Amino acid sequence: MAIMKLVFLVLFFHHANAQTLSTNFHRYSCPNLEGIVSRTTSKFISTTPSLAPALLRLHFHDCFVRGCDGSVLLNSTAGNTAEKASFPNLSLRGFQVVEAAKAAVEKQCPWMVSCADILALVARDAVFQIKGPFWPVPLGRRDGIVSRANEALANLPPPNFNITQLITSFGAKGLSVKDLVVLSGGHTIGVSFCSSFATRIYNFTGRNDADPSMDPAYVAELRRMCPPSDATTTVAMDPGSAQDFDVDYYSMVRQRRGLFQTDAALLDHSATNSYVQQHSTPLGSKSFFDDFAASMVKMGRIGVLTGRAGQIRKICSVVN
Ligand code: HEM
């Protein structure tokens, strides 16, 4: 009988720990949470709209490395090089927005809300504030205490992945081929350093050539903006509406004007290709917004720590 009880308790707590997140999680522990976070986020974005894409990317880079546990927010320490310091994360921006939202939340609800939850809310608010979709964010994540640069390198897909590698990378996080094509639509906003696609326009096969899958007129435009070996210039990923969350991304990809090989690669698989074709006009906007909201919720659940795992950090850049 005692053994049965033990088995029951183990199963119960295992289940409680693996519990799914809930939009009501902070209903009593921090009733004004969402208002505090959205006010803080909008204060920053109204003066610096270019922070909105940065905040979306921050959430993606958090979730793909050790799950959405705020590990991307941690600073390196004497004995540890954190995710932040790894190559793909060097261009991340917007940490100050998360810290400010966290500080404002701590004032009203000390020790209650994780940095991981705050980042998920900030990313949603950022997208919504630049005319993108709104989605209810399931909450209850806890913060991790480990952040390693080499794990960021191993888990974040680089911009030269092909479609098979992308599907594997997203699949490893429990995301589908549809999630891949939908979330890639995040590139409808924001900027990229020239160095992130320089090989594609200057030295694709080592013979001073460009990727033949890119529209030659676009290659020429990009070459004008990005001299070889340029390390400081950034270009809009969706020229013309880089600060508006819209469905333009898919028409760019369709016109062979996706900036990275990973954007172009969406044409190389039947399911992603047909999504691109179907969303290449403004008419595709509604279904893209619904899909994006659903895939963001799914991404936000990757590898989350719940129950008694991890901690609620006081300051997002350091463990308690
Ligand atoms: C599919 C695999 C992906 C690859 C290979 C990729 C790669 C990149 C690269 C190389 C940059 C430019 C970095 C720089 O030079 O500063 C970038 C920017 C960006 N990415 Fe992705 N990305 C991917 C997926 C995603 C996803 C899933 C999202 C969000 C849902 C996202 C959102 C963004 C945003 C918003 C920016 C602009 C950031 C800014 O303006 O600061 N990306 N991405």
Side-chain angles (χ1 to χ4, degrees):
M1 198 57 196
I3 290 190
M4 288 286 284
K5 232 177 176 172
L6 188 68
V7 169
F8 173 79
L9 282 176
V10 167
L11 285 175
F12 177 81
F13 282 113
H14 174 77
H15 179 74
N17 208 34
Q19 73 198 346
T20 48
L21 307 173
S22 146
T23 51
N24 288 330
F25 191 86
H26 291 296
R27 186 196 289 176
Y28 303 112
S29 51
C30 195
N32 298 326
L33 170 64
E34 305 222 2
I36 302 171
V37 173
S38 86
R39 274 192 298 281
T40 310
T41 309
S42 100
K43 219 185 316 164
F44 280 91
I45 292 178
S46 56
T47 52
T48 315
S50 70
L51 278 172
L55 294 165
L56 173 61
R57 184 170 181 234
L58 209 48
H59 184 38
F60 162 53
H61 282 214
D62 185 27
C63 294
F64 262 55
V65 187
R66 281 188 174 263
C68 316
D69 68 341
S71 55
V72 73
L73 306 170
L74 288 171
N75 286 341
S76 296
T77 57
N80 180 60
T81 311
E83 290 171 29
K84 247 184 201 179
S86 89
F87 178 72
N89 284 340
L90 294 178
S91 57
L92 288 179
R93 302 174 294 125
F95 294 99
Q96 74 278 23
V97 183
V98 184
E99 290 290 2
K102 172 66 169 170
V105 169
E106 281 299 295
K107 270 197 196 148
Q108 274 196 29
C109 329
W111 298 108
M112 288 296 171
V113 187
S114 67
C115 295
D117 268 358
I118 288 176
L119 177 51
L121 287 169
V122 163
R124 186 274 312 272
D125 292 340
V127 167
F128 186 59
Q129 281 164 28
I130 54 166
K131 305 186 200 156
F134 182 89
W135 60 93
V137 178
L139 299 167
R141 298 167 189 79
R142 310 244 318 157
D143 292 324
I145 56 168
V146 176
S147 176
R148 299 202 177 104
N150 62 338
E151 292 183 354
L153 209 53
N155 285 278
L156 293 167
N160 64 350
F161 260 13
N162 64 30
I163 189 67
T164 313
Q165 292 168 314
L166 282 172
I167 291 172
T168 305
S169 162
F170 274 58
K173 306 294 169 196
L175 297 178
S176 66
V177 173
K178 178 165 183 189
D179 295 317
L180 165 65
V181 65
V182 168
L183 291 172
S184 295
H187 287 173
T188 180
I189 49 172
V191 295
S192 166
F193 279 98
C194 295
S195 51
S196 296
F197 54 87
T199 306
R200 203 170 174 220
I201 57 170
Y202 281 116
N203 207 9
F204 193 61
T205 66
R207 281 175 290 171
N208 297 330
D209 54 343
D211 181 345
S213 78
M214 191 185 244
D215 170 5
Y218 194 38
V219 172
E221 272 171 51
L222 291 171
R223 283 181 171 178
R224 268 196 299 279
M225 290 185 281
C226 295
S229 310
D230 178 293
T232 53
T233 308
T234 55
V235 304
M237 297 197 293
D238 173 3
S241 66
Q243 284 179 10
D244 282 344
F245 195 99
D246 56 28
V247 73
D248 283 2
Y249 171 79
Y250 298 103
S251 57
M252 285 176 355
V253 169
R254 184 183 185 177
Q255 294 166 64
R256 300 162 66 217
R257 286 175 162 246
L259 194 54
F260 307 127
Q261 279 160 264
T262 46
D263 300 315
L266 299 175
L267 295 172
D268 298 340
H269 178 279
S270 58
T272 53
N273 185 307
S274 76
Y275 193 92
V276 170
Q277 307 301 333
Q278 281 160 22
H279 292 81
S280 300
T281 72
L283 288 177
S285 169
K286 162 90 173 82
S287 78
F288 168 53
F289 275 29
D290 292 348
D291 291 341
F292 193 79
S295 290
M296 284 300 292
V297 169
K298 206 166 154 191
M299 187 182 89
R301 293 185 193 279
I302 298 173
V304 291
L305 303 173
T306 56
R308 291 150 71 94
Q311 59 178 214
I312 303 293
R313 263 178 240 150
K314 190 73 178 166
I315 296 172
C316 294
S317 57
V318 288
V319 296
N320 296 333

